[in-house]
Every structure is written in structure tokens, then in C-alpha cells.
Amino acid sequence: MPLVQAIFGKIFDKLGTRIGFTLSIGFWSIATAMHAFAKGVVSLSIFRSLLGISEAGNWPGAAKGNAEWFPTKERAFAQGLFNSGAAIGGIIAFPVIGLLSVHFNWQYIFILVGALGLLWLIPWWILVKSPPKKHPWITDEERVYILTGQKNQDADEDGDFDEGYNPTTAKMLKHKESWGVIIASAALDPIWWVVCFWIPIYLNEVYGMDVKSIGFYAWVPYVGAMIGAWFGGLLAQNRIKVGWTVNKTRKVCNHTGMCHYVTCFTRDGKSRRT
């Protein structure tokens, strides 16, 4: 997924967030629905791969949309709200799918979720007509507030703000700051995905829960993820407002996220800290 995220980042930069999300969510919805037609390990693996590839566009697309629609001073909390969306989705999805499993077989559930993704594209295409610079629905006051808060410095003092730094991929990878972000993400992301995939299996193997029962309990850790995303965004936004540099703020927030205990459970239900 990380490699595909980089590819989707290029797609979003080239086509914009409106079309980029349409492609990403559209293919994701179709890939989800295709799971219903899996006939074995090979076909299921192909559909799962297509799902992962299409899902990868969500993260760079949201970061780009955040940068387009929020002034710099508000981006941290806005990104925290976006990140909490994955957790909120888990809070909603587990009990809903648990209930659906009582009345429908798993094939229909995949088709239903895929159809909902395609329906999501309708309000997206209507509401996100263009970036704020040309969007017809926002006021001039809102436009000035957003765009002024995004402008770069005027180093040559010619009255025009300078263009932002836009390096090539090769040049970007030469910066140690880029590798700092890459390493931090590589260290933290697996924790989230382990939680996403491991909780249902754990509840089934250790406590013998069926799909319906899992749906009513597996959402609990996502509440913590949601609160953490909000807190992280507010913390970063607050520190920048009081005068911290972006560099210091990023390092403190990343260090805070890294320095926590990951509670793992053995098959007999006893916990240990690693």
C-alpha cells in the first residue's frame, strides 16, 4: 500500500482531488462488490489486492484536500478529524455489519457496501466542484480567509508570494526530513492494521464469538483511535499557536505516539506488554 499511496499522490497532483477521489473510491467500491463473486483463494486474493490498491488513494487525497481547503494554522486539527474518520467508520461498521449478517449472506453484504461507496460519489461530485479559489458556493470572505492563510513568503518582496517548494521524487528522497516521515509511518501504521485485522480473529478464537457478537464488541478500540486522532490534531494546532516550530511540533507529536504500550493478548485471554 505505501508504494501505491505514492503513485496515487502523483495522480491526485495531476488530476486534482475531485477526480482523484472519484477514481479511488469508484474502484474501491467496485473491488468491494467483486468479493461477492470470489470462488476460491486465487480470485479472493486478486479482489483483496484490488481493494488495497484502490484504498491507498484515500490517504494522500485527504492530505491534499486538507491543504487546499484549510489555512496552514488549522490543518493539524483538520487532518486529525480526517484520521478519526477511519476509526469512526470502524465504530459504525462493526455493529452494522454484525446485524446485516443475521439477515443476509456475506456476498450480499459486500455488494451493499460497494454500492454505498458508489452512492457516496454523487454528493462528492456535486459538493466538491473545484478548489476554493474557484468554488462558486463559498463567499469572498471565506475565500480570502482560506487562501491568505495558505500563502508562502515573499522573499524577493515583489508583492507576489513565491511558489511553494515542489521537488521531484528523487530530490525529495534526498532530504532526511522525508525519511523521518517515512520511518515514523512505517513504525506506526502496522500497529493500526494489526488492530484492524486481529481483533475479530482474537474475539472468535479466544471467546468463541460469532460475527454478530463480534460486531457488538470489536468497535471499542476504535473509540480510542478516534479520540487519539482528535487529541493529536488539537495538540499540534495548539503548540503551533503558542509559537512552537513545525519541526518541534512534529517530533513531539510523533514521539508521543511512539511512546505507548501495545497491549497484546495471548490465546488464553491473559495480557502482556511489549
Side-chain angles (χ1 to χ4, degrees), residues 90-255:
I91 294 172
I92 297 172
F94 271 111
V96 169
I97 291 177
L99 288 173
L100 288 175
S101 68
V102 177
H103 303 286
F104 303 97
N105 60 34
W106 65 270
Q107 290 95 336
Y108 283 114
I109 295 175
F110 274 109
I111 293 174
L112 177 60
V113 173
L116 289 175
L118 292 175
L119 288 175
W120 178 89
L121 290 175
I122 297 175
W124 168 259
W125 194 255
I126 294 173
L127 295 174
V128 186
K129 296 179 179 296
S130 66
K133 187 176 182 179
K134 298 180 180 179
H135 201 288
W137 291 2
I138 64 175
T139 66
D140 291 338
E141 183 180 1
E142 291 170 330
R143 198 183 329 274
V144 170
Y145 176 77
I146 294 171
L147 298 179
T148 302
Q150 296 175 346
K151 287 181 177 178
N152 300 299
Q153 63 180 350
D154 181 16
D156 54 9
E157 298 182 350
D158 62 352
D160 294 323
F161 289 95
D162 304 324
E163 291 294 325
Y165 180 59
N166 187 24
T168 62
T169 301
K171 189 172 183 179
M172 182 174 62
L173 290 177
K174 293 180 180 180
H175 294 297
K176 63 181 181 180
E177 292 84 358
S178 298
W179 286 103
V181 174
I182 292 171
I183 293 171
S185 180
L188 288 171
D189 285 356
I191 298 174
W192 170 249
W193 292 112
V194 165
V195 170
C196 289
F197 288 105
W198 176 65
I199 286 178
I201 298 173
Y202 168 74
L203 293 176
N204 174 258
E205 293 185 353
V206 176
Y207 295 103
M209 292 185 179
D210 57 17
V211 175
K212 181 180 178 181
S213 299
I214 290 173
F216 284 101
Y217 290 98
W219 59 270
V220 175
Y222 290 84
V223 176
M226 175 188 69
I227 296 174
W230 293 348
F231 174 77
L234 286 172
L235 175 63
Q237 183 170 293
N238 175 265
R239 293 301 85 194
I240 290 175
K241 283 184 176 180
V242 299
W244 283 22
T245 64
V246 173
N247 181 50
K248 180 180 179 180
T249 302
R250 284 174 176 165
K251 289 179 178 177
V252 169
C253 290
N254 285 337
H255 183 72

